[in-house]
Amino acid sequence: MLSCMTAALTIAFVPGVSPAKWARVWRDRFPSVELLLRPIGQSEVDETLAGDADMVFARLPVAESHNAIPLWTETAVVATPKDSALAKASELTTADLADVHVIDAGPVPADVSGALDLVEANVGVVVLPQSLFRKASRKDLIARPLTDAEGTRVALVWREQDASDLTAEFIGVVRGRTANSSRSQPDQPGGPDRAADDGSRPSRGGSKADAGNKPGSGGKAGTVGGKAKAKSPGGGKSGGGKNSNTGKGPTPGRGKMRGKPSRGSKGNR
């Protein structure tokens, strides 16, 4: 069982990433451990992890010092007015945008709402993740897949010093581990974290988080061409539903998870 001294786990998430499915699984599996959810801005990942959040669902790249497990790749789309010439095509390539004013080429506009306002005003088009376009819900605009764009990758991110039995269990939930399976058993690809209608694509795997989402970036994540540590929990015998109370859960890439100081959760400080 998880330590009774641990009262809560705080999970933050950037726009366009809904934690609802994982939250339902967590609350069903660990009803005595409160799950606190917090929406944050795209640029607030570092600040949030330095605060009282234990983990964050964020888009890569992230700071090289963070641990990151890539989960899925979002489809890049072109937002355009419904009556535009581009809207007549079922999908687009960057060549189709050669003679069009691109307000923001993405992968994630700094001001999504403001950029889409300009698209509605027929100023140009915007490239962004499909999930963000759907979240904006602009009835006068339509999105067309940009087939030769890499898309953005969503990852579960945390700091090494915030690793705990709780974060290990949450990783298991996100990666589709069942309540009765051991942490040492293989995770189910994708798990309950991907909705088919989110326009997302499964992560291509690998143990490292992808970096910038531009061709030729080398596929490594980091603040400037670096790479995020994409580690998955190693061995260990505490199960997802029958967890050991020894405080020795696995830590990504190091074999054993170091427990958090004092009460084990930022939510209790």
Side-chain angles (χ1 to χ4, degrees), residues 77-81 86 116 119 124-128 133 141-144:
V77 299
V78 178
T80 184
L86 293 178
L116 293 178
V119 177
V125 300
V126 168
V127 178
L128 73 168
F133 177 79
L141 303 180
I142 196 166
R144 292 292 182 249

Side-chain angles (χ1 to χ4, degrees), residues 177 181-187 233-238 250:
R177 196 177 298 137
S181 66
S182 167
R183 289 181 190 165
S184 62
Q185 294 177 353
D187 296 317
K237 297 184 180 180
S238 61

Side-chain angles (χ1 to χ4, degrees), residues 3 5-11 26 33-36 51-54 161-167 259-269:
S3 172
M5 294 181 66
T6 301
L9 181 68
T10 301
I11 305 296
W26 180 272
V33 181
E34 185 178 9
L35 182 65
L36 303 175
D52 58 1
D54 295 284
Q161 57 265 47
D162 295 329
S164 68
D165 283 341
L166 277 183
T167 57
K260 290 174 63 68
S262 185
R263 300 177 184 175
S265 172
K266 290 183 178 181
N268 292 320
R269 298 178 183 175

Side-chain angles (χ1 to χ4, degrees), residues 82-100:
K82 287 184 175 180
D83 58 357
S84 70
L86 293 178
K88 297 177 182 178
S90 60
E91 56 186 33
L92 301 168
T93 66
T94 52
D96 296 319
L97 306 181
D99 298 323
V100 178

Side-chain angles (χ1 to χ4, degrees), residues 169-258:
E169 293 295 354
F170 191 77
I171 290 170
V173 168
V174 170
R175 302 190 81 172
R177 196 177 298 137
T178 65
N180 295 322
S181 66
S182 167
R183 289 181 190 165
S184 62
Q185 294 177 353
D187 296 317
Q188 297 298 316
D193 59 344
R194 259 200 334 113
D197 61 356
D198 281 344
S200 56
R201 304 191 297 268
S203 169
R204 294 181 180 178
S207 61
K208 307 247 179 187
D210 282 353
N213 302 293
K214 299 179 181 179
S217 63
K220 296 180 181 179
T223 306
V224 182
K227 56 186 177 181
K229 304 170 185 176
K231 307 173 183 176
S232 57
K237 297 184 180 180
S238 61
K242 299 178 180 180
N243 308 294
S244 170
N245 60 0
T246 61
K248 297 182 179 179
T251 194
R254 299 198 178 211
K256 294 184 179 181
M257 180 78 75
R258 289 202 300 262

Side-chain angles (χ1 to χ4, degrees), residues 104-152:
D104 196 312
V108 182
D111 181 359
V112 173
S113 180
L116 293 178
D117 286 342
L118 293 176
V119 177
E120 285 185 329
N122 284 303
V123 174
V125 300
V126 168
V127 178
L128 73 168
Q130 188 172 50
S131 62
L132 288 179
F133 177 79
R134 288 180 172 173
K135 177 179 172 60
S137 187
R138 299 297 183 100
K139 64 179 181 179
D140 295 324
L141 303 180
I142 196 166
R144 292 292 182 249
L146 191 60
T147 59
D148 55 351
E150 286 192 7
T152 45

